[in-house]
Structures are given as structure tokens and as C-alpha cells.
Amino acid sequence: MSGIGPVEPGEGTSAWDAPDPGASLLHGAPRGRLGRLYDRHRRVALTTAAIAALLAGGGYLYAARPRQPPPPPPPYPSQVVEVTYLNSEAAPPGAPPRSFSFGVVLRVESGPPVTVSRIAQPYAGLSVTSLPRPPFRTRAGSPRKVVITMHVSECGKVPEDAGLPFLDVTLRNTRAMQVQSFILGPRYAHALSSAVRVACDDDSG
């Protein structure tokens, strides 16, 4: 009896030459389109990741950079303003009786401009005006002459011999507003006392 064995391949054929059912999926046109699509997405993904890494690194370097200290605040106006007595002045036209004037110079040593908002003095019997009239501004390095005019309203409330008379000046800059009392020295004290005596003696006569 003849046995039944495997069918021999015919001439010119071989089992190794049979087409692989999955070959079209691995090497055919559909595989090529999918591969190219994958490659494109892969390149985009890699590029995006690289950009993200660069941005993250740059953000870290920016956050880790040495911090500059903030600039110091401007000085208080009272620390940089100086008021100096100059001399007696003629009272301006139209000033009421028992008025007298004197000049001072106001200097700002440094920092932002300073505005003078008010000029006053401590005696109840005297009123004060000035030229220029407040508010006025003075810049550092630009001294400003101010003519102060005082009017004696009540002689009994003004000492004839003021020891250390002063001016109260309200100053303002970008840092603060302050009221500063300026003692103008013995020359100012003598001039003020003499002017008050003259004004009140003329009134009594």
C-alpha cells in the first residue's frame, strides 16, 4: 500500500516562495503611508518636546538670575531742604500798614523736586504771605529766592525781642509731606525784632 505523504511542490515552485499574507501590510503601500504619517508626527512631537525643554530651561535661568536690589527711596524733604536768611526787603506795593518784608533763599540739596505748600510762623499777632505764593516748586541745584512779608495784626501778641524765631514750612516731595521749622539765626531774629518794634511804635504814635 502506498502511503500518503506531503504533496511535493511542482517544478519551479517552493514552499519558501509562497507569498506571506502579512507582507502587504508590512511592506506594501498602506504600510508606507502609515509610516510616513508616523514619521511626520514623530518629528513634530520631538520638535515640540525640544522647544518645551528650551523654554523650561530659559524660564529656570530667568527665575534663578541674580535679583537686583530695589533702588533706595528718595530722601524725606526735611532732610534735603535748607532755608537761609538773606536781608531785609522793601514791603511790596499794596501791603497793609505795619508790614515788613525780608528775603530768604530755599535750596534743595538732592533728590526729587520739593513743593512748598505753606509758610507760617508761631506768633498769633503776625500774618505771613510770600512771593512766590505757595504752592511753588524748587528743584535740586536751583536755589529759589522767596520774599516773606509779615503783617502785625496785634502788637500785644508779638514779642519785641524774639530769641529764636522760626518759620514753619510745609514741604512735599514724592516721599512724604512734612512740616519743618527753620531757625534762621541771629541776623533774622534781630531783623524781626527791629521790624516789630518799628511797626508797633508807629502804630502807638
Side-chain angles (χ1 to χ4, degrees):
M1 174 184 285
S2 60
I4 300 174
V7 177
E8 295 292 333
E11 186 179 353
T13 63
S14 169
W16 301 107
D17 295 332
D20 186 351
S24 61
L25 295 178
L26 295 176
H27 302 289
R31 170 63 180 84
R33 285 196 299 272
L34 291 175
R36 286 193 298 271
L37 184 61
Y38 170 78
D39 288 340
R40 281 200 300 270
H41 283 288
R42 183 171 178 271
R43 285 194 296 270
V44 170
L46 291 176
T47 302
T48 303
I51 292 174
L54 288 174
L55 292 176
Y60 172 78
L61 292 176
Y62 179 80
R65 77 192 190 284
R67 297 300 181 98
Q68 295 294 329
Y76 287 99
S78 61
Q79 296 174 334
V80 295
V81 171
E82 181 183 61
V83 178
T84 306
Y85 173 73
L86 292 176
N87 46 39
S88 296
E89 298 272 347
R98 298 189 299 183
S99 296
F100 53 90
S101 300
F102 54 88
V104 300
V105 61
L106 186 145
R107 294 182 178 86
V108 178
E109 300 297 331
S110 61
V114 174
T115 297
V116 174
S117 302
R118 183 172 179 267
I119 300 175
Q121 54 76 48
Y123 302 120
L126 285 176
S127 61
V128 177
T129 59
S130 71
L131 288 176
R133 294 181 179 274
F136 59 86
R137 177 189 284 191
T138 302
R139 298 180 179 275
S142 299
R144 180 186 286 268
K145 180 180 177 180
V146 182
V147 177
I148 306 291
T149 298
M150 293 189 179
H151 169 64
V152 181
S153 57
E154 292 187 54
C155 289
K157 294 184 178 180
V158 183
E160 292 188 0
D161 293 309
L164 291 174
F166 56 86
L167 289 177
D168 289 327
V169 184
T170 303
L171 306 169
R172 176 173 53 84
N173 68 1
T174 55
R175 176 74 181 273
M177 176 180 285
Q178 296 177 300
V179 178
Q180 179 72 8
S181 296
F182 292 95
I183 298 176
L184 303 184
R187 290 180 58 241
Y188 169 68
H190 177 73
L192 177 61
S193 297
S194 296
V196 168
R197 281 196 299 268
V198 169
C200 291
D201 287 347
D202 289 346
D203 183 63
S204 62

